[in-house]
Amino acid sequence: MHSRSDSVQRLLSWCSSKQIHIDARLSIIQDEITGGISVFNLSEETIPVSQILVTIPRRWMLSIRTCASSDSLVTWLADNGIHVPVYGHEAQLALALALYGEFLLASRSEWGGYLQSLPQKAVPIGLFWGYKYSDDEIPEREAIDWKGNHDLRQLFINPETGVERLTEIRGFYERVVEPFLSSSSAEVTLRGYHHAYSLVTSRAFLVDGYHGLSMVPIADSFNHSRQNQIHLESDFDVCMECGSVQECIHDRQGPPLVSDYRSSDSEEDEEDAVEMTTNAVIHPTHEVFNTYGETVSNFELLINFGFQSST
C-alpha cells in the first residue's frame, strides 16, 4: 500500500491496530502542498462492482457513543434537556463536542492516529466565512456577499428553530461544551470547538440509529464526485440500547442467557462494522470517489463542505 507522508503512515498503522481493513489495491495519498487526502487504485487490477474495499468496526467510528467521555457526555446532554441526538443540527453540535474532547486528549486519545490525519485548522465552510478570531480569520469569499443575500442567508439558519446556526453554536458552546470540558488539562476555546464543528459538518456520516452521526475513519478519505465508484453501507436498524447488529439481551424479556454475552473476537463481531463497497468499476491508476450527493451543486459544496469539485 503506497503513501506519501508520515501522517498517512501513522493513519494506516492506527487502522491496522484497530482492525480496520483496507483492500491492498487501494493507496491512500496525501497532497504535499494542501495536505488533503485522496484514495487511488494504484494496482494493475480493475476492481469490479460489489467489492467490499474497506471495513470499519463500529467500535472505531468516533461518535458520542464511543468517545472517551461517552457515559458522562450522554448524562450531561440529558441534564441539559438534550436527548441523545441521531441527526439534525443537535447531532452535529454533540458530535463536535465529542470530537473536540478527543482533540484535547491529544496523544491520550484512542483515535490519535486518525485525528492527526484530519485538517488541523477549521474547514472553510460557508458558515465561518469572514469569522474573525483573535489572531487570524477564515478568509471571506469576496465574490459572494452572503450577509446581504437573503436567499443565501437562509442556508445559515436552522430551519427547525429559525435561529442562525452560529448563534446556536455559540449557545451550545457556552451552555454545554465549555462547562463539560472545563476539567480538561488543555485550554477550551470557541475556536477549537469551531474547528471540530467544521470537521463534523464536512466529513461525518449518519451510520445507524444508535451511533447516529459519526466520524468514520478512512470512509472520509474518499473525495467527492457525482460519478462515484464507492459508497458507505451500514445497517441502520441496530439495538437502540447497545448498538448491536445481532440479537442481544435487550431483544428479549427475562434474565439474560450465557449465550447473550459474546466474546469480542467472535465471528459474529465481524458483522458489527460498516463497509465501503464499490458500485462501479475502478480502473488502474484512477482515483476512487464517494459522493456527497449526485445533484449537489458546486455552490452547495462550497457552502457546506468548503470546496468546489471539477468532477
Side-chain angles (χ1 to χ4, degrees):
M1 192 172 297
H2 306 279
S3 63
R4 295 181 179 175
S5 73
D6 290 339
S7 177
V8 169
Q9 291 286 20
R10 291 195 294 272
L11 172 62
L12 296 178
S13 295
W14 178 83
C15 288
S16 178
S17 71
K18 306 306 182 187
Q19 289 76 53
I20 296 175
H21 171 72
I22 306 170
D23 191 286
R25 292 169 292 187
L26 296 184
S27 296
I28 298 177
I29 306 296
Q30 186 170 41
D31 189 283
E32 296 178 354
I33 298 176
T34 67
I37 288 179
S38 53
V39 184
F40 282 80
N41 172 18
L42 293 186
S43 73
E44 297 180 354
E45 298 181 33
T46 296
I47 303 175
V49 176
S50 300
Q51 294 279 295
I52 298 173
L53 298 186
V54 184
T55 304
I56 307 105
R58 291 175 198 266
R59 169 66 182 88
W60 295 110
M61 304 183 306
L62 178 51
S63 72
I64 60 175
R65 298 291 195 177
T66 61
C67 66
S69 58
S70 177
D71 291 342
S72 56
L73 175 55
V74 171
T75 300
W76 187 274
L77 292 174
D79 290 345
N80 281 270
I82 304 171
H83 65 87
V84 179
V86 174
Y87 56 87
H89 198 221
E90 278 194 345
Q92 292 178 316
L93 295 170
L95 179 57
L97 168 53
L99 177 59
Y100 186 30
E102 296 297 330
F103 271 117
L104 293 177
L105 287 174
S107 61
R108 292 177 291 131
S109 171
E110 290 191 278
W111 280 269
Y114 166 60
L115 297 179
Q116 60 83 37
S117 72
L118 298 174
Q120 299 302 298
K121 293 185 178 180
V123 178
I125 58 175
L127 193 63
F128 295 143
W129 291 352
Y131 193 94
K132 292 179 173 59
Y133 294 103
S134 58
D135 58 348
D136 67 354
E137 67 176 74
I138 298 173
E140 186 169 9
R141 302 297 200 277
E142 295 180 356
I144 303 175
D145 183 14
W146 65 267
K147 293 181 179 178
N149 185 317
H150 175 76
D151 292 335
L152 181 56
R153 191 175 179 82
Q154 297 307 304
L155 296 175
F156 304 108
I157 295 176
N158 185 346
E160 297 179 358
T161 62
V163 178
E164 289 192 2
R165 294 183 189 273
L166 271 178
T167 300
E168 292 187 333
I169 292 171
R170 177 176 284 277
F172 188 84
Y173 173 80
E174 294 175 348
R175 180 167 58 96
V176 180
V177 177
E178 195 170 35
F180 179 75
L181 296 175
S182 60
S183 62
S184 172
S185 59
E187 182 183 8
V188 179
T189 65
L190 179 61
R191 176 183 177 180
Y193 182 63
H194 279 176
H195 171 220
Y197 179 91
S198 74
L199 292 172
V200 167
T201 301
S202 59
R203 288 173 172 263
F205 294 80
L206 180 60
V207 293
D208 61 45
Y210 177 75
H211 294 89
L213 203 63
S214 304
M215 304 294 289
V216 186
I218 300 301
D220 60 9
S221 297
F222 295 87
N223 289 322
H224 161 80
S225 173
R226 295 185 185 89
Q227 291 77 43
N228 62 305
Q229 303 99 346
I230 202 166
H231 65 279
L232 182 76
E233 289 190 351
S234 173
D235 289 329
F236 191 85
D237 295 325
V238 298
C239 176
M240 297 301 291
E241 296 293 328
C242 67
S244 174
V245 296
Q246 306 292 333
E247 184 178 1
C248 66
I249 60 175
H250 304 108
D251 293 326
R252 64 171 72 91
Q253 295 181 349
L257 306 175
V258 173
S259 59
D260 288 328
Y261 298 97
R262 297 183 287 107
S263 170
S264 61
D265 60 357
S266 69
E267 292 183 2
E268 290 182 335
D269 279 332
E270 295 180 4
E271 299 180 22
D272 195 12
V274 298
E275 301 165 339
M276 297 298 290
T277 304
T278 58
N279 52 269
V281 168
I282 305 170
H283 297 288
T285 74
H286 283 58
E287 183 171 357
V288 186
F289 291 100
N290 192 5
T291 184
Y292 297 173
E294 295 180 359
T295 61
V296 66
S297 68
N298 258 342
F299 181 69
E300 291 172 309
L301 288 172
L302 188 60
I303 291 289
N304 296 316
F305 301 100
F307 73 93
Q308 296 187 76
S309 174
S310 59
T311 58

